Amino acid sequence: MQPRAIIAARAVIANTRKLGCTIPDGIDAADLRATRLTDAGDQIGPPDGELIDAFLAAVDAGKDPAADKNVQRALTADRLANENLRAAISNHAATLLIGALVEHAPQLFDEWDAITNRASTALTEAHAVLADTDLDDTKAVVQLGGKAADAWAKATNAVAIIDRLNLVWQQWAEVTRRAPSNAAYCNLRFADITPADWQAHKLAGRVDPWTLVRIGYTLELADPDEMRRRIDTHRAHDAAEEAARLARANRAARTG
């Protein structure tokens, strides 16, 4: 069984491919080597009965079993067959894959950014036609006419793309531990939302990308550094509000 880290790393690769993005050669090479390592680890150990068969064959041939090459090979394979070695091989393969995802993160984020920009353009253009129409309200869309139906189809597809991008961003952040992965801030991955809008529209936790467009945002992918900056802005705002609340409470207590 593959460790969770390998499964998670390969999920990043698979979902990136599903978006139509190009996987950097270095990641493909790491994935290929990791596969060779884990496959070899899974095959460690001689087939059942091979050691005793080699031993008996050596004795029947008048050979010293300890010096027989077939016995030695089966014995070595038998000694290699332990869970500690398999675990070490799997951990090395996971480290290899995760290292490649970190090393080639700039290329990955460039690919994801290009996809985000196309989806963002589609959503902005659709909003010019659909305005604040709910994408789930197909009756209202039909009433707007043919252009609205086309805009709805493009917007729906763009929302699905952004949702997959959000998933792969989350997977990359969790497996590499090189970016904030707090799901409460996931909307900041695609929009530099002001604290005022964050509170007014209750945007903590995942919301439909269409909602962000309807509020007035153009979707822009955040890389890890930009994501940290956006989160820091909100945390600083929250800290300032809490400090102001405590100051008001202290003043009230003194004058009460």
Side-chain angles (χ1 to χ4, degrees), residues 23-76:
I23 301 296
D25 291 341
I27 293 178
D28 274 336
D31 193 15
L32 183 61
R33 185 175 178 223
T35 298
R36 289 199 303 268
L37 291 173
T38 53
D39 285 351
D42 290 341
Q43 294 168 12
I44 288 175
D48 289 344
E50 183 175 340
L51 179 57
I52 184 62
D53 288 346
F55 181 93
L56 295 175
V59 172
D60 290 340
K63 299 179 181 179
D64 176 4
D68 183 75
K69 290 183 179 180
N70 289 333
V71 172
Q72 291 174 352
R73 186 185 63 79
L75 184 60
T76 298

Side-chain angles (χ1 to χ4, degrees), residues 78-229:
D78 186 63
R79 287 180 175 176
L80 286 173
N82 65 82
E83 290 306 314
N84 288 336
L85 180 59
R86 287 193 180 95
I89 291 170
S90 293
N91 288 337
H92 184 81
T95 300
L96 187 69
L97 268 175
I98 293 169
L101 291 178
V102 172
E103 180 182 356
H104 299 282
Q107 295 98 308
L108 284 176
F109 274 89
D110 283 347
E111 290 283 330
W112 297 339
D113 184 56
I115 296 294
T116 301
N117 290 340
R118 288 198 288 272
S120 178
T121 297
L123 288 170
T124 299
E125 292 176 350
H127 186 255
V129 176
L130 299 172
D132 286 339
T133 303
D134 190 331
L135 293 182
D136 291 332
D137 190 350
T138 53
K139 182 177 179 180
V141 172
V142 170
Q143 290 175 343
L144 291 174
K147 287 185 178 180
D150 183 60
W152 175 87
K154 292 178 179 178
T156 301
N157 181 62
V159 166
I161 290 171
I162 296 297
D163 283 343
R164 187 175 292 279
L165 280 163
N166 180 58
L167 172 64
V168 75
W169 208 115
Q170 178 79 18
Q171 291 171 331
W172 183 89
E174 288 180 348
V175 76
T176 65
R177 299 183 181 181
R178 295 301 179 97
S181 59
N182 188 334
Y185 292 110
C186 63
N187 294 310
L188 294 177
R189 294 169 188 163
F190 298 97
D192 191 4
I193 303 167
T194 67
D197 281 341
W198 187 267
Q199 293 178 349
H201 298 282
K202 296 180 174 57
L203 297 178
R206 186 63 177 154
V207 301
D208 190 315
W210 182 244
T211 297
L212 299 179
V213 174
R214 290 168 69 184
I215 292 171
Y217 287 95
T218 298
L219 303 191
E220 297 175 336
L221 184 73
D223 64 14
D225 288 340
E226 173 62 14
M227 186 62 177
R228 280 186 282 270
R229 185 197 67 77

